[in-house]
Amino acid sequence: MARKKKTIGIFTWIVLFALVGGVGLLSWWNWAKMPYSTSGNTEKITIVSGTTAGQLAEELQERHLIRSAWMFKFLARERQEDFKLYVGDYQLAPAMSPSEMINRLIGRSVASDTNLVTIPEGYTTKQIMELLIQKGIGSKEEYMKVVTEGEFPYSFLKDAPIGVHRLEGYLFPNTYDIPVTTTPHTVIDLLLRQFEKELTPEVQNQLTAMKLTVAQWVTLASLIEKEAVKEADRPLISSVLMNRLKINQPLQIDATIQFLLETPKPKLSYEDLQIPSPYNTYLHSGFPPGPIASPGHASLQAVLNPAQTEFRYYVAKKDGYHVFAKTYAEHLKNVKEYQ
Protein backbone atom coordinates (compact mmCIF):
# COMPACT_ATOMS: atom_id res chain seq x y z
CA MET A 1 0.00 0.00 0.00
CA ALA A 2 2.82 2.37 0.94
CA ARG A 3 4.58 1.61 -2.34
CA LYS A 4 1.33 2.36 -4.23
CA LYS A 5 0.92 5.72 -2.49
CA LYS A 6 4.53 6.54 -3.26
CA THR A 7 3.98 5.69 -6.93
CA ILE A 8 0.86 7.89 -7.07
CA GLY A 9 2.79 10.75 -5.45
CA ILE A 10 5.59 10.53 -8.00
CA PHE A 11 3.05 10.40 -10.83
CA THR A 12 1.31 13.48 -9.44
CA TRP A 13 4.56 15.41 -9.37
CA ILE A 14 5.34 14.35 -12.92
CA VAL A 15 1.93 15.59 -14.08
CA LEU A 16 2.38 18.88 -12.22
CA PHE A 17 5.84 19.43 -13.70
CA ALA A 18 4.48 18.63 -17.16
CA LEU A 19 1.61 21.10 -16.73
CA VAL A 20 3.89 23.85 -15.43
CA GLY A 21 6.37 23.16 -18.19
CA GLY A 22 3.62 23.17 -20.79
CA VAL A 23 2.24 26.49 -19.59
CA GLY A 24 5.73 27.94 -19.52
CA LEU A 25 6.47 26.67 -23.03
CA LEU A 26 3.18 28.05 -24.35
CA SER A 27 3.88 31.41 -22.73
CA TRP A 28 7.37 31.54 -24.26
CA TRP A 29 6.00 30.44 -27.63
CA ASN A 30 3.51 33.29 -27.72
CA TRP A 31 6.15 35.76 -26.50
CA ALA A 32 8.69 34.71 -29.16
CA LYS A 33 6.17 35.16 -31.99
CA MET A 34 5.41 38.74 -31.02
CA PRO A 35 7.19 41.87 -32.40
CA TYR A 36 10.38 42.80 -30.56
CA SER A 37 8.83 46.14 -29.56
CA THR A 38 5.91 48.41 -30.36
CA SER A 39 8.13 51.13 -31.82
CA GLY A 40 11.57 51.70 -33.29
CA ASN A 41 13.13 52.83 -36.54
CA THR A 42 13.15 50.75 -39.69
CA GLU A 43 16.55 49.17 -40.33
CA LYS A 44 18.15 48.05 -43.56
CA ILE A 45 18.99 44.34 -43.71
CA THR A 46 21.28 43.29 -46.55
CA ILE A 47 21.07 39.70 -47.78
CA VAL A 48 24.06 38.57 -49.79
CA SER A 49 24.48 35.47 -51.91
CA GLY A 50 24.72 32.36 -49.73
CA THR A 51 22.95 33.80 -46.67
CA THR A 52 21.02 31.11 -44.83
CA ALA A 53 17.83 31.48 -42.82
CA GLY A 54 19.83 30.61 -39.70
CA GLN A 55 22.41 33.33 -40.33
CA LEU A 56 19.67 35.86 -41.02
CA ALA A 57 17.82 34.87 -37.83
CA GLU A 58 20.94 35.37 -35.71
CA GLU A 59 21.55 38.81 -37.26
CA LEU A 60 17.95 39.87 -36.65
CA GLN A 61 18.19 38.80 -33.02
CA GLU A 62 21.54 40.59 -32.51
CA ARG A 63 20.09 43.79 -33.98
CA HIS A 64 17.06 43.59 -31.65
CA LEU A 65 14.56 43.13 -34.46
CA ILE A 66 13.24 39.75 -33.28
CA ARG A 67 13.01 38.10 -29.86
CA SER A 68 14.12 34.60 -30.79
CA ALA A 69 16.34 33.39 -33.64
CA TRP A 70 15.06 29.85 -33.02
CA MET A 71 11.43 30.91 -33.49
CA PHE A 72 12.28 32.77 -36.70
CA LYS A 73 14.02 29.67 -38.10
CA PHE A 74 11.08 27.46 -37.06
CA LEU A 75 8.56 29.74 -38.78
CA ALA A 76 10.77 29.91 -41.88
CA ARG A 77 10.98 26.11 -42.03
CA GLU A 78 7.18 25.97 -41.83
CA ARG A 79 7.07 27.86 -45.11
CA GLN A 80 9.28 25.16 -46.72
CA GLU A 81 9.53 25.79 -50.45
CA ASP A 82 8.06 29.27 -50.15
CA PHE A 83 10.93 30.61 -48.08
CA LYS A 84 13.71 31.61 -50.44
CA LEU A 85 16.16 34.37 -49.62
CA TYR A 86 16.66 36.84 -52.46
CA VAL A 87 19.81 38.95 -52.57
CA GLY A 88 19.14 42.62 -51.85
CA ASP A 89 18.28 45.21 -49.24
CA TYR A 90 15.18 44.88 -47.09
CA GLN A 91 13.60 47.29 -44.61
CA LEU A 92 12.54 45.58 -41.38
CA ALA A 93 11.32 47.13 -38.13
CA PRO A 94 11.15 45.88 -34.51
CA ALA A 95 7.40 46.54 -34.58
CA MET A 96 7.00 43.74 -37.16
CA SER A 97 6.34 40.16 -36.02
CA PRO A 98 8.62 37.36 -37.28
CA SER A 99 5.80 36.15 -39.56
CA GLU A 100 5.41 39.64 -41.07
CA MET A 101 9.15 39.77 -41.72
CA ILE A 102 9.07 36.39 -43.41
CA ASN A 103 6.16 37.50 -45.60
CA ARG A 104 8.16 40.56 -46.63
CA LEU A 105 11.25 38.54 -47.42
CA ILE A 106 9.48 35.95 -49.56
CA GLY A 107 10.01 36.91 -53.16
CA ARG A 108 9.88 40.63 -52.32
CA SER A 109 6.13 40.20 -52.26
CA VAL A 110 5.50 43.76 -51.07
CA ALA A 111 7.34 45.34 -53.97
CA SER A 112 4.28 45.41 -56.17
CA ASP A 113 2.02 47.36 -53.84
CA THR A 114 4.35 49.52 -51.76
CA ASN A 115 7.12 52.02 -52.36
CA LEU A 116 10.32 51.93 -50.34
CA VAL A 117 11.18 55.61 -49.89
CA THR A 118 14.35 56.87 -48.19
CA ILE A 119 14.29 60.52 -47.13
CA PRO A 120 17.93 61.58 -46.64
CA GLU A 121 18.99 63.84 -43.78
CA GLY A 122 19.22 67.44 -44.89
CA TYR A 123 16.51 67.31 -47.54
CA THR A 124 14.26 70.34 -47.82
CA THR A 125 10.47 70.16 -48.07
CA LYS A 126 10.78 70.83 -51.79
CA GLN A 127 13.24 67.95 -52.27
CA ILE A 128 11.06 65.61 -50.22
CA MET A 129 7.99 66.45 -52.31
CA GLU A 130 9.95 65.91 -55.54
CA LEU A 131 11.20 62.53 -54.28
CA LEU A 132 7.70 61.36 -53.36
CA ILE A 133 6.34 62.51 -56.73
CA GLN A 134 9.14 60.59 -58.50
CA LYS A 135 8.04 57.49 -56.56
CA GLY A 136 4.54 57.92 -57.97
CA ILE A 137 2.95 58.96 -54.68
CA GLY A 138 0.84 62.04 -55.33
CA SER A 139 1.29 65.15 -57.47
CA LYS A 140 2.98 68.50 -56.95
CA GLU A 141 -0.36 70.26 -56.65
CA GLU A 142 -1.56 67.81 -53.98
CA TYR A 143 1.61 68.17 -51.90
CA MET A 144 1.62 71.96 -52.14
CA LYS A 145 -1.93 72.01 -50.79
CA VAL A 146 -1.11 69.60 -47.97
CA VAL A 147 2.11 71.40 -46.99
CA THR A 148 0.55 74.87 -46.98
CA GLU A 149 -3.00 74.13 -45.83
CA GLY A 150 -3.21 70.59 -44.43
CA GLU A 151 -4.41 70.19 -40.85
CA PHE A 152 -2.26 68.14 -38.46
CA PRO A 153 -2.76 67.53 -34.71
CA TYR A 154 0.79 68.36 -33.61
CA SER A 155 1.52 71.08 -31.05
CA PHE A 156 5.00 71.68 -32.48
CA LEU A 157 3.38 73.15 -35.60
CA LYS A 158 1.28 75.77 -33.80
CA ASP A 159 3.80 78.59 -34.48
CA ALA A 160 4.95 77.33 -37.88
CA PRO A 161 5.33 80.01 -40.58
CA ILE A 162 2.69 80.35 -43.29
CA GLY A 163 3.52 79.09 -46.77
CA VAL A 164 5.66 76.43 -48.40
CA HIS A 165 8.17 76.41 -45.50
CA ARG A 166 5.47 75.68 -42.93
CA LEU A 167 6.60 72.07 -42.37
CA GLU A 168 10.29 72.67 -43.08
CA GLY A 169 12.45 70.67 -40.70
CA TYR A 170 9.65 68.49 -39.31
CA LEU A 171 9.39 65.92 -42.14
CA PHE A 172 11.64 63.40 -40.47
CA PRO A 173 14.32 61.70 -42.61
CA ASN A 174 14.05 57.93 -42.52
CA THR A 175 13.19 54.94 -44.73
CA TYR A 176 9.48 54.33 -45.13
CA ASP A 177 7.40 51.58 -46.74
CA ILE A 178 4.54 53.51 -48.29
CA PRO A 179 1.61 51.78 -50.05
CA VAL A 180 1.09 53.14 -53.56
CA THR A 181 -2.50 54.06 -52.69
CA THR A 182 -1.45 56.32 -49.80
CA THR A 183 -2.67 59.91 -50.06
CA PRO A 184 -0.19 62.83 -49.85
CA HIS A 185 -1.77 63.95 -46.57
CA THR A 186 -1.21 60.52 -45.03
CA VAL A 187 2.39 60.44 -46.24
CA ILE A 188 3.18 63.85 -44.77
CA ASP A 189 1.45 62.87 -41.53
CA LEU A 190 3.64 59.75 -41.39
CA LEU A 191 6.80 61.88 -41.57
CA LEU A 192 5.50 64.33 -38.97
CA ARG A 193 4.54 61.47 -36.66
CA GLN A 194 8.08 60.11 -36.94
CA PHE A 195 9.48 63.50 -35.90
CA GLU A 196 7.12 63.55 -32.91
CA LYS A 197 8.91 60.46 -31.58
CA GLU A 198 12.09 62.57 -31.27
CA LEU A 199 10.25 65.02 -29.01
CA THR A 200 10.31 62.86 -25.89
CA PRO A 201 9.49 64.18 -22.39
CA GLU A 202 13.23 64.11 -21.64
CA VAL A 203 13.97 66.24 -24.70
CA GLN A 204 11.22 68.69 -23.77
CA ASN A 205 12.68 69.05 -20.27
CA GLN A 206 16.13 69.62 -21.75
CA LEU A 207 14.80 72.28 -24.12
CA THR A 208 13.15 74.04 -21.20
CA ALA A 209 16.43 73.98 -19.28
CA MET A 210 18.26 75.39 -22.31
CA LYS A 211 15.53 78.01 -22.87
CA LEU A 212 14.98 76.80 -26.43
CA THR A 213 11.65 76.39 -28.21
CA VAL A 214 11.00 73.34 -30.36
CA ALA A 215 11.24 75.57 -33.46
CA GLN A 216 14.63 76.93 -32.35
CA TRP A 217 15.85 73.40 -31.60
CA VAL A 218 14.91 72.15 -35.06
CA THR A 219 16.26 75.31 -36.71
CA LEU A 220 19.70 74.92 -35.12
CA ALA A 221 19.69 71.19 -35.92
CA SER A 222 18.93 71.97 -39.57
CA LEU A 223 21.91 74.34 -39.73
CA ILE A 224 24.17 71.68 -38.25
CA GLU A 225 22.77 69.07 -40.66
CA LYS A 226 23.62 71.22 -43.67
CA GLU A 227 27.04 72.31 -42.40
CA ALA A 228 28.46 69.11 -40.88
CA VAL A 229 29.89 66.38 -43.07
CA LYS A 230 31.63 64.37 -40.36
CA GLU A 231 29.86 63.07 -37.27
CA ALA A 232 32.57 64.35 -34.93
CA ASP A 233 32.01 67.93 -36.08
CA ARG A 234 28.33 68.13 -35.13
CA PRO A 235 28.75 68.97 -31.42
CA LEU A 236 31.59 71.38 -32.28
CA ILE A 237 29.51 73.28 -34.84
CA SER A 238 26.70 73.27 -32.28
CA SER A 239 29.02 74.93 -29.77
CA VAL A 240 29.94 77.62 -32.31
CA LEU A 241 26.28 78.43 -32.91
CA MET A 242 25.54 78.56 -29.17
CA ASN A 243 28.56 80.77 -28.47
CA ARG A 244 27.53 83.21 -31.19
CA LEU A 245 23.94 83.36 -30.02
CA LYS A 246 25.10 84.20 -26.49
CA ILE A 247 26.81 87.39 -27.68
CA ASN A 248 24.32 88.19 -30.46
CA GLN A 249 26.93 87.63 -33.16
CA PRO A 250 25.45 86.80 -36.59
CA LEU A 251 25.55 83.05 -37.21
CA GLN A 252 26.91 83.56 -40.77
CA ILE A 253 25.89 80.12 -41.99
CA ASP A 254 26.47 79.63 -45.73
CA ALA A 255 23.71 77.01 -45.83
CA THR A 256 21.10 79.70 -45.08
CA ILE A 257 22.22 81.56 -48.21
CA GLN A 258 22.09 78.38 -50.28
CA PHE A 259 18.55 77.91 -48.97
CA LEU A 260 17.59 81.20 -50.64
CA LEU A 261 19.06 80.30 -54.02
CA GLU A 262 17.06 78.52 -56.71
CA THR A 263 20.11 76.37 -57.45
CA PRO A 264 22.89 75.77 -54.87
CA LYS A 265 26.35 77.09 -55.79
CA PRO A 266 29.76 75.48 -55.17
CA LYS A 267 30.98 78.85 -53.89
CA LEU A 268 28.96 81.85 -52.74
CA SER A 269 29.71 85.34 -54.02
CA TYR A 270 29.73 88.61 -52.07
CA GLU A 271 26.46 89.52 -53.81
CA ASP A 272 24.89 86.29 -52.53
CA LEU A 273 25.72 87.30 -48.96
CA GLN A 274 23.77 90.52 -49.45
CA ILE A 275 20.46 88.90 -50.43
CA PRO A 276 17.77 90.76 -48.46
CA SER A 277 16.01 88.03 -46.49
CA PRO A 278 15.40 87.22 -42.81
CA TYR A 279 17.00 83.84 -43.61
CA ASN A 280 20.28 85.62 -44.42
CA THR A 281 22.33 84.95 -41.28
CA TYR A 282 25.10 87.26 -42.53
CA LEU A 283 22.80 90.28 -42.39
CA HIS A 284 20.69 89.31 -39.38
CA SER A 285 21.64 88.21 -35.87
CA GLY A 286 19.83 85.51 -33.93
CA PHE A 287 17.78 82.69 -35.38
CA PRO A 288 16.53 82.56 -38.96
CA PRO A 289 12.70 82.41 -39.24
CA GLY A 290 12.70 78.62 -39.19
CA PRO A 291 14.53 75.41 -40.18
CA ILE A 292 16.16 75.21 -43.61
CA ALA A 293 16.03 71.40 -43.98
CA SER A 294 15.04 68.20 -42.20
CA PRO A 295 17.67 67.30 -39.59
CA GLY A 296 18.30 63.73 -38.53
CA HIS A 297 18.57 62.35 -35.01
CA ALA A 298 22.32 63.06 -34.70
CA SER A 299 21.94 66.77 -35.49
CA LEU A 300 18.97 67.12 -33.14
CA GLN A 301 21.05 65.55 -30.39
CA ALA A 302 24.02 67.80 -31.20
CA VAL A 303 21.91 70.85 -30.32
CA LEU A 304 21.02 69.30 -26.96
CA ASN A 305 24.63 68.28 -26.29
CA PRO A 306 26.99 70.92 -27.74
CA ALA A 307 30.70 70.58 -27.05
CA GLN A 308 31.90 72.91 -24.30
CA THR A 309 34.26 75.22 -26.20
CA GLU A 310 35.00 78.89 -26.80
CA PHE A 311 34.99 78.42 -30.59
CA ARG A 312 33.17 81.03 -32.66
CA TYR A 313 34.56 80.26 -36.13
CA TYR A 314 35.18 77.27 -38.36
CA VAL A 315 36.30 76.55 -41.89
CA ALA A 316 35.88 73.38 -43.95
CA LYS A 317 38.86 71.29 -45.00
CA LYS A 318 39.05 69.25 -48.19
CA ASP A 319 38.57 65.99 -46.26
CA GLY A 320 35.16 67.10 -44.98
CA TYR A 321 36.26 67.95 -41.46
CA HIS A 322 36.31 71.49 -40.08
CA VAL A 323 38.99 73.50 -38.30
CA PHE A 324 37.74 75.60 -35.41
CA ALA A 325 39.01 78.86 -33.95
CA LYS A 326 38.30 81.12 -30.99
CA THR A 327 39.29 84.42 -32.61
CA TYR A 328 38.84 85.97 -36.02
CA ALA A 329 42.62 86.25 -36.42
CA GLU A 330 42.99 82.50 -35.88
CA HIS A 331 40.12 81.90 -38.28
CA LEU A 332 41.82 83.94 -41.04
CA LYS A 333 44.97 81.83 -40.64
CA ASN A 334 42.89 78.66 -40.97
CA VAL A 335 41.13 79.99 -44.06
CA LYS A 336 44.48 80.77 -45.67
CA GLU A 337 45.86 77.33 -44.84
CA TYR A 338 42.89 75.12 -45.67
CA GLN A 339 41.08 76.92 -48.49
Side-chain angles (χ1 to χ4, degrees), residues 80-300:
Q80 296 177 348
E81 293 300 317
D82 288 340
F83 191 71
K84 296 178 182 178
L85 292 177
Y86 291 84
V87 172
D89 294 332
Y90 297 81
Q91 298 297 326
L92 302 177
M96 298 170 63
S97 70
S99 293
E100 289 174 328
M101 292 185 184
I102 290 170
N103 287 337
R104 176 161 299 187
L105 291 165
I106 292 175
R108 294 183 174 271
S109 60
V110 299
S112 60
D113 56 4
T114 68
N115 271 313
L116 195 63
V117 181
T118 297
I119 312 278
E121 289 89 348
Y123 258 36
T124 63
T125 297
K126 179 182 177 183
Q127 289 175 307
I128 292 171
M129 289 192 298
E130 290 173 347
L131 178 60
L132 292 168
I133 293 166
Q134 288 173 7
K135 291 286 187 177
I137 309 171
S139 66
K140 182 178 180 180
E141 292 73 21
E142 289 175 309
Y143 280 110
M144 286 298 293
K145 187 173 180 62
V146 170
V147 167
T148 58
E149 303 175 19
E151 294 185 5
F152 300 98
Y154 304 107
S155 59
F156 55 80
L157 293 178
K158 65 177 181 176
D159 297 321
I162 297 172
V164 70
H165 300 310
R166 173 176 166 239
L167 305 182
E168 198 73 72
Y170 302 103
L171 304 177
F172 197 75
N174 205 339
T175 297
Y176 301 90
D177 246 343
I178 304 175
V180 294
T181 56
T182 305
T183 65
H185 187 280
T186 301
V187 174
I188 296 301
D189 184 67
L190 175 65
L191 274 58
L192 292 171
R193 194 162 65 248
Q194 191 66 33
F195 168 79
E196 188 180 38
K197 294 178 182 179
E198 296 288 319
L199 194 56
T200 63
E202 291 76 19
V203 167
Q204 294 185 55
N205 290 336
Q206 202 165 350
L207 291 175
T208 300
M210 296 176 73
K211 297 181 179 179
L212 288 175
T213 66
V214 173
Q216 290 171 335
W217 173 47
V218 180
T219 296
L220 290 174
S222 73
L223 302 183
I224 295 169
E225 191 67 65
K226 298 300 285 187
E227 291 282 291
V229 176
K230 302 297 184 179
E231 192 70 25
D233 281 353
R234 294 183 198 273
L236 293 169
I237 292 176
S238 179
S239 74
V240 170
L241 299 180
M242 295 299 186
N243 291 338
R244 287 192 169 216
L245 287 170
K246 286 177 186 175
I247 59 174
N248 203 34
Q249 180 180 358
L251 296 180
Q252 296 181 314
I253 301 294
D254 287 356
T256 61
I257 308 300
Q258 298 282 11
F259 181 70
L260 297 172
L261 302 175
E262 191 66 31
T263 304
K265 292 182 177 181
K267 190 174 180 65
L268 295 173
S269 66
Y270 175 78
E271 289 72 24
D272 294 328
L273 304 184
Q274 304 306 308
I275 296 174
S277 169
Y279 281 94
N280 188 332
T281 54
Y282 279 84
L283 297 181
H284 302 280
S285 300
F287 294 88
I292 62 171
S294 289
H297 177 78
S299 291
L300 289 166

Side-chain angles (χ1 to χ4, degrees), residues 240 243-244 247 249 310-314 325-328:
V240 170
N243 291 338
R244 287 192 169 216
I247 59 174
Q249 180 180 358
E310 297 179 6
F311 295 143
R312 290 193 289 124
Y313 304 89
Y314 59 85
K326 297 179 183 179
T327 67
Y328 188 59

Side-chain angles (χ1 to χ4, degrees), residues 10-11 20 48 163 193 206 214 228 232 238 317:
I10 293 173
F11 178 76
V20 171
V48 298
R193 194 162 65 248
Q206 202 165 350
V214 173
S238 179
K317 298 195 298 182

Side-chain angles (χ1 to χ4, degrees), residues 318-336:
K318 292 180 180 178
D319 62 0
Y321 285 96
H322 291 79
V323 180
F324 297 82
K326 297 179 183 179
T327 67
Y328 188 59
E330 292 174 354
H331 175 63
L332 290 178
K333 288 181 182 178
N334 290 335
V335 171
K336 185 175 181 181

